[in-house]
Amino acid sequence: MSYRRVTPGIISKIEEIVGKKYVLTEKEDLEPYSRDETPGLSFFPEIVVKVENSKQIVELFKLCNKEKIPLTPRGGGTGLTGGAIPVKGGIVLSFERMNKIKDIDRENYMAVVEPGVINGNLQRELAREGLFYPVNPASMDSCTIGGNVAQSSSGANAVKYGGTKEYVSGLEIVTPTQDVIKAGGKLVKNVTDYKLIQLVVGSEGTLAAITEVVLKVIPLPEVKIDLVVGLDDLSLLQSILKKIWQEKIILTSIEYIEEFAVKITKEYVQNPPFLPSAHHYLMIGIDGEEGEVNERMENLEKIFTEENVQDVLVAQDRKQQEDLWKFRQSVREALLNSGASMVEEDIVVPRGKIVEFMEKSKRVYESYSLKTGVYGHLGDGNVHYNFIKPSKEEKNWEENVEKALYELFKIAISLGGKISGEHGIGLTKKKFLHLALTRAEIELLRKVKKAFDPNNILNPGKIFDL
Ligand SMILES: Cc1cc2nc3c(=O)[nH]c(=O)nc-3n(C[C@H](O)[C@H](O)[C@H](O)COP(=O)(O)OP(=O)(O)OC[C@H]3O[C@@H](n4cnc5c(N)ncnc54)[C@H](O)[C@@H]3O)c2cc1C
């Protein structure tokens, strides 16, 4: 489908809908909206529209359907697959003004928020009330709840608590067909529809604009222990993980940073916290009531003793805990800054297969001599592979990365995995979708998309082509 340009006449109509000062048209103002955090990807929108409410979005959708203008929703712009980048031009629909925490309902354990609320701000606000929203992506201080819902994001706490999809109990959405739908609500249970909520969670801004989110919250855990385990021998990973699962030790986080990524991050962060001297790191968090947390820690220590793991450092105070997780959150940035460019993947496999996947994939990227930073959510079976381009002049790098990716994806799929655990398909993984989904599945997704957005005006060019 071909789209029309945003003419001065259309801009005037949009200014009438949202107010002149909320429409950006100058190139320098548009530039930050031409990219997200995906390295090397940029497409300029023709204009940016900062919406304030669902009524304005209804009017915009009406106009854009009539004029055949594409719109791309945007939250914090921290996406890693180009989801918020307007590949077909048109309008970037920015939710930055819709950033209110509308209600923290202590009786129902629910928070009602606008989509532009920054995840970390919600976390802090809830903590003041003794409440907890456990979904903590490493980008939590810049990503929005709307973006989290659209991506079905998760964070280091997912081992125990799961990801966004586990917490969305209600949504207000505006479909491109201009219906304002309130799905679910402050409900613990609800079997009244086709699970519209779950259809929109993870739909990457292609089905509807998310205008309000009702999130389940829980009591803030009493205590938390964070520790780093240094390993020189990777073969220990499998036996440690296996014992954790077998012994049914409920851990909150099991994160992993491989040797090369550890080294680069240590060099990158200004004051690296106390850290083990071993090469690879396991970062573990345990939270809950004091008694149960101590018991889990004791069980974990037994495993370390059995496996002869001695390089274990436990954070002694809040500052050390924060420094530890800051180190983990700096890994991606450190890797990105260590080369000329980077391609990043977030393959997911069943958690029991993750070590097998890592061993097989190491052979693949080494066979292509690719500098690769490996880190991520080991306990979820979701480890990130970041391929670093050493210099702009590096020959055949893109081709080799692509070949390696095909092999990695095939290994993951043969182990029962998928090509994305949390970053989504967006633009960058579109060409690999056929490896993970059957033709029938993709066809069904197309039909769903057409039901929501018959004229394909919302975030076109993402996930699959129509
Ligand atoms: C340093 C770093 C660390 C990260 N760590 C994690 C991690 O631990 N776990 C994880 O899952 N991800 C992680 N990410 C990826 C990213 O932060 C998440 O995907 C996040 O949820 C994106 O939120 P955002 O507000 O930035 O969305 P954007 O990037 O602005 O948009 C993402 C997608 O959501 C759509 N969208 C945004 N708002 C709306 C809305 N209101 N209605 C409809 N569609 C909308 C956009 O169209 C786009 O397709 C990380 C990224 C970085 C840069």
Side-chain angles (χ1 to χ4, degrees):
M1 159 157 181
S2 59
Y3 296 95
R4 295 210 191 113
R5 304 279 304 167
V6 183
T7 61
I10 292 173
I11 293 177
S12 300
K13 285 184 187 157
I14 292 173
E15 286 173 347
E16 275 169 33
I17 297 170
V18 297
K20 197 173 164 62
K21 67 175 176 180
Y22 299 117
V23 181
L24 308 181
T25 55
E26 297 299 322
K27 193 163 182 212
E28 72 219 47
D29 296 332
L30 300 179
E31 196 280 331
Y33 298 87
S34 68
R35 51 188 162 79
D36 59 6
E37 289 292 331
T38 317
L41 207 59
S42 166
F43 288 85
F44 269 72
E46 290 161 72
I47 61 170
V48 172
V49 180
K50 300 182 183 184
V51 284
E52 194 187 15
N53 54 48
S54 45
K55 222 170 130 203
Q56 292 178 350
I57 298 172
V58 167
E59 292 306 314
L60 283 172
F61 281 170
K62 200 182 285 177
L63 183 67
C64 289
N65 270 301
K66 185 164 164 260
E67 302 289 349
K68 291 199 170 59
I69 308 253
L71 303 109
T72 305
R74 182 185 177 95
T78 66
L80 298 174
T81 55
I85 299 181
V87 282
K88 307 280 181 190
I91 298 170
V92 159
L93 193 63
S94 169
F95 288 91
E96 63 205 85
R97 290 171 68 207
M98 295 182 70
N99 61 359
K100 285 180 216 65
I101 298 173
K102 290 173 130 180
D103 181 18
I104 293 179
D105 183 336
R106 291 152 201 84
E107 198 174 29
N108 287 302
Y109 279 93
M110 298 280 169
V112 183
V113 303
E114 289 187 331
V117 168
I118 299 291
N119 177 306
N121 291 347
L122 176 64
Q123 307 266 1
R124 284 180 282 275
E125 196 62 36
L126 287 168
R128 268 182 227 124
E129 307 276 344
L131 295 171
F132 186 41
Y133 175 59
V135 183
N136 61 338
S139 53
M140 60 188 270
D141 281 322
S142 37
C143 65
T144 64
I145 296 296
N148 294 170
V149 172
Q151 294 297 117
S152 193
S153 299
S154 45
N157 292 337
V159 182
K160 177 176 174 187
Y161 293 106
T164 305
K165 70 178 188 317
E166 270 78 39
Y167 293 88
V168 183
S169 123
L171 278 184
E172 182 190 85
I173 56 170
V174 183
T175 63
T177 47
Q178 298 121 62
D179 295 305
V180 180
I181 293 172
K182 278 185 180 280
K186 291 178 177 175
L187 301 169
V188 176
K189 295 177 172 180
N190 172 21
V191 191
T192 321
D193 60 33
Y194 268 175
K195 294 286 151 288
L196 273 179
I197 292 174
Q198 293 303 347
L199 198 54
V200 174
V201 174
S203 62
E204 303 191 35
T206 62
L207 296 184
I210 298 157
T211 48
E212 188 177 283
V213 186
V214 184
L215 292 170
K216 290 174 202 157
V217 296
I218 56 177
L220 193 64
E222 216 173 81
V223 288
K224 180 151 194 259
I225 296 180
D226 293 301
L227 52 140
V228 205
V229 184
L231 299 173
D232 282 321
D233 179 3
L234 267 191
S235 64
L236 283 179
L237 264 188
Q238 181 66 36
S239 44
I240 292 174
L241 279 181
K242 211 169 167 182
K243 284 188 175 168
I244 290 172
W245 307 138
Q246 272 170 356
E247 299 296 321
K248 304 183 187 70
I249 305 176
I250 299 171
L251 301 179
T252 307
S253 318
I254 311 176
E255 297 281 298
Y256 172 67
I257 316 178
E258 204 183 52
E259 181 175 16
F260 172 67
V262 166
K263 180 177 163 288
I264 296 286
T265 312
K266 273 186 176 171
E267 286 164 8
Y268 181 75
V269 296
Q270 293 210 323
N271 299 307
F274 71 112
L275 287 168
S277 54
H279 295 115
H280 314 280
Y281 291 172
L282 257 186
M283 289 193 170
I284 293 179
I286 318 173
D287 72 358
E289 286 172 16
E290 193 164 1
E292 62 184 16
V293 169
N294 290 339
E295 194 187 322
R296 286 171 197 160
M297 185 63 198
E298 279 164 25
N299 290 337
L300 203 55
E301 279 167 341
K302 269 187 219 150
I303 295 179
F304 294 151
T305 309
E306 283 164 19
E307 297 295 331
N308 198 22
V309 174
Q310 286 156 5
D311 209 353
V312 180
L313 291 175
V314 181
Q316 296 301 315
D317 53 35
R318 184 87 184 265
K319 164 101 178 47
Q320 284 192 351
Q321 289 181 302
E322 282 171 7
D323 287 350
L324 199 62
W325 288 107
K326 252 186 227 155
F327 182 81
R328 160 64 186 86
Q329 287 171 357
S330 306
V331 175
R332 178 187 178 270
E333 201 175 302
L335 292 169
L336 184 64
N337 279 284
S338 72
S341 185
M342 188 163 91
V343 166
E344 46 203 317
E345 292 307 325
D346 83 311
I347 290 161
V348 63
V349 296
R351 53 173 67 158
K353 300 276 186 190
I354 187 65
V355 178
E356 182 181 346
F357 173 74
M358 285 163 61
E359 284 164 358
K360 288 183 172 166
S361 54
K362 194 174 175 68
R363 288 199 281 276
V364 172
Y365 63 76
E366 283 182 351
S367 74
Y368 289 99
S369 306
L370 291 169
K371 219 170 150 189
T372 309
V374 182
Y375 71 98
H377 317 295
L378 190 77
D380 307 332
N382 178 212
V383 170
H384 302 313
Y385 283 76
N386 288 21
F387 302 104
I388 294 147
K389 187 172 186 177
S391 69
K392 277 190 188 147
E393 295 74 38
E394 187 78 5
K395 294 251 163 43
N396 304 327
W397 184 80
E398 281 80 7
E399 293 90 316
N400 284 337
V401 168
E402 187 151 333
K403 281 185 204 155
L405 281 181
Y406 266 102
E407 291 187 38
L408 294 194
F409 289 150
K410 283 186 177 158
I411 294 170
I413 289 160
S414 73
L415 295 173
K418 294 285 178 203
I419 64 176
S420 172
E422 55 182 26
H423 298 163
I425 303 302
L427 189 62
T428 55
K429 296 207 192 85
K430 206 169 127 178
K431 63 181 165 201
F432 301 111
L433 190 67
H434 69 280
L435 296 175
L437 300 183
T438 62
R439 207 177 287 177
E441 280 172 297
I442 297 175
E443 206 37 56
L444 193 56
L445 296 185
R446 285 200 178 103
K447 286 180 188 159
V448 173
K449 165 73 176 166
K450 282 179 189 160
F452 275 78
D453 183 16
N455 295 325
N456 196 20
I457 57 161
L458 193 62
N459 213 352
K462 305 293 167 58
I463 311 180
F464 45 75
D465 288 318
L466 277 190

